[in-house]
Amino acid sequence: MKKADVFEFFRRLAELNPSPETELEFGNTYQLLVAVVLSAQATDIGVNKATRALFREVKTPAQMLDLGEEKLKAHIKTIGLFNSKAKNVIALSEILVERYGGEVPDDRDALVALPGVGRKTANVVMNCAFGAETFAVDTHIFRVGNRTGLARGKTPRAVEKQLEKNVPAPFRVGAHHWLILHGRYICKARTPECWRCPVVDLCGYRHKVLERTSGKAKSKAGA
């Protein structure tokens, strides 16, 4: 995708959604961290259902330790891999209390060192909590980056590097939100809804679905 097209791509998404946010529900940075850890291989909707009652009771790492692993499991048992996730949440809560005074560090390397926190999770927290220009490449962003030609790469890290290089300054903080939402609701994995896409003319996908039909959507080659 050409530099001018990249700018226009984000300009249009920003015009439609000037203040993009994560769809995870949280009340503070610690709850955000927990929610993102729980969201691995799970949907935001599923995580939100599990954490609403939990977050009414637990707002700090110390309160999570008081709750304990077994009660935490009871709250999140509907989420995939809840046993290992509960262990990680308790372990990272212990570290936050012991090393950081109960606060979430605003440093990516420190975040990645926490149990259950990978680069993607750290990037989400850095962006959503601290306004950092980070790009958390999940399955949606990986698909959208490669499909559109915005940021192609064989691995999430490769796509992240391309985004770091290609996304222009006015859009760097909101970019990963726009891309996630675009992938979640329009540029879908099985059948992209190109017929209602606001950036369809900028996209490099060669098999655009340009017509909505009652049955299977018709696929046409595009530029």
Side-chain angles (χ1 to χ4, degrees), residues 6 19 21 29-30 32 37 53 62 74 87 100 104 106 108 114-115 123 125 129 162 167 171-172 176 182 200 218:
V6 173
S19 302
E21 297 178 344
T29 304
Y30 172 69
L32 169 65
V37 169
K87 290 181 183 296
Y100 299 102
V104 176
D106 59 351
R108 182 161 55 193
L114 296 173
N123 280 342
V125 174
Q162 287 300 306
V167 178
F171 310 113
R172 294 179 70 83
H176 98 263
H182 190 65
V200 65
K218 295 179 181 178

Side-chain angles (χ1 to χ4, degrees), residues 26 33 53 64 143 149 156 190 193 197 206 216 220:
F26 62 96
L33 174 61
M64 185 67 77
R143 179 177 66 256
R190 183 170 297 179
E193 298 181 359
C197 174
R206 297 189 62 186
K216 283 190 174 181
K220 294 184 179 180

Side-chain angles (χ1 to χ4, degrees), residues 82-138:
F82 73 93
N83 283 311
S84 60
K85 290 177 180 179
K87 290 181 183 296
N88 285 331
V89 168
I90 293 298
L92 71 83
S93 298
E94 289 177 346
I95 293 173
L96 292 179
V97 169
E98 294 171 1
R99 300 183 191 173
Y100 299 102
E103 299 296 324
V104 176
D106 59 351
D107 178 82
R108 182 161 55 193
D109 290 339
L111 288 168
V112 171
L114 296 173
V117 178
R119 186 178 180 88
K120 182 184 74 173
T121 296
N123 280 342
V124 173
V125 174
M126 290 297 296
N127 180 274
C128 296
F130 305 114
E133 295 179 353
T134 56
F135 305 93
V137 180
D138 67 351

Side-chain angles (χ1 to χ4, degrees), residues 10 13-23 127-128 170-182:
F10 284 107
L13 296 183
E15 184 177 47
L16 292 170
N17 184 6
S19 302
E21 297 178 344
T22 177
E23 293 187 317
N127 180 274
C128 296
F171 310 113
R172 294 179 70 83
V173 173
H176 98 263
H177 294 295
W178 286 312
L179 293 175
I180 287 172
L181 294 172
H182 190 65

Side-chain angles (χ1 to χ4, degrees):
M1 194 179 292
K2 296 178 181 179
K3 187 175 181 180
D5 289 343
V6 173
F7 188 95
E8 179 63 13
F9 183 99
F10 284 107
R11 188 201 67 77
R12 292 183 195 177
L13 296 183
E15 184 177 47
L16 292 170
N17 184 6
S19 302
E21 297 178 344
T22 177
E23 293 187 317
L24 289 171
E25 298 172 1
F26 62 96
N28 59 36
T29 304
Y30 172 69
Q31 290 182 340
L32 169 65
L33 174 61
V34 171
V36 181
V37 169
L38 296 178
S39 71
Q41 300 180 51
T43 66
D44 287 0
I45 292 174
V47 172
N48 290 337
K49 286 181 179 178
T51 58
R52 282 177 191 139
L54 173 66
F55 287 165
R56 284 195 293 268
E57 186 175 353
V58 174
K59 296 176 173 61
T60 68
Q63 290 175 341
M64 185 67 77
L65 296 178
D66 289 339
L67 180 71
E69 186 175 324
E70 292 307 312
K71 290 184 178 179
L72 173 58
K73 286 180 182 179
H75 276 286
I76 66 171
K77 62 186 179 181
T78 56
I79 300 175
L81 306 175
F82 73 93
N83 283 311
S84 60
K85 290 177 180 179
K87 290 181 183 296
N88 285 331
V89 168
I90 293 298
L92 71 83
S93 298
E94 289 177 346
I95 293 173
L96 292 179
V97 169
E98 294 171 1
R99 300 183 191 173
Y100 299 102
E103 299 296 324
V104 176
D106 59 351
D107 178 82
R108 182 161 55 193
D109 290 339
L111 288 168
V112 171
L114 296 173
V117 178
R119 186 178 180 88
K120 182 184 74 173
T121 296
N123 280 342
V124 173
V125 174
M126 290 297 296
N127 180 274
C128 296
F130 305 114
E133 295 179 353
T134 56
F135 305 93
V137 180
D138 67 351
T139 56
H140 297 300
I141 293 184
F142 186 78
R143 179 177 66 256
V144 172
N146 278 286
R147 181 183 277 170
T148 63
L150 174 67
R152 288 198 168 108
K154 293 183 178 180
T155 66
R157 185 70 181 103
V159 170
E160 181 184 343
K161 287 180 178 178
Q162 287 300 306
L163 290 172
E164 289 173 346
K165 177 182 177 182
N166 296 340
V167 178
F171 310 113
R172 294 179 70 83
V173 173
H176 98 263
H177 294 295
W178 286 312
L179 293 175
I180 287 172
L181 294 172
H182 190 65
R184 185 172 290 165
Y185 297 112
I186 295 178
C187 196
K188 299 176 181 179
R190 183 170 297 179
T191 305
E193 298 181 359
C194 308
W195 48 267
R196 67 183 189 94
C197 174
V199 292
V200 65
D201 57 310
L202 305 173
C203 172
Y205 187 47
R206 297 189 62 186
H207 305 287
K208 295 174 182 174
V209 182
L210 298 176
E211 296 180 24
R212 183 182 188 182
T213 65
S214 56
K216 283 190 174 181
K218 295 179 181 178
S219 178
K220 294 184 179 180

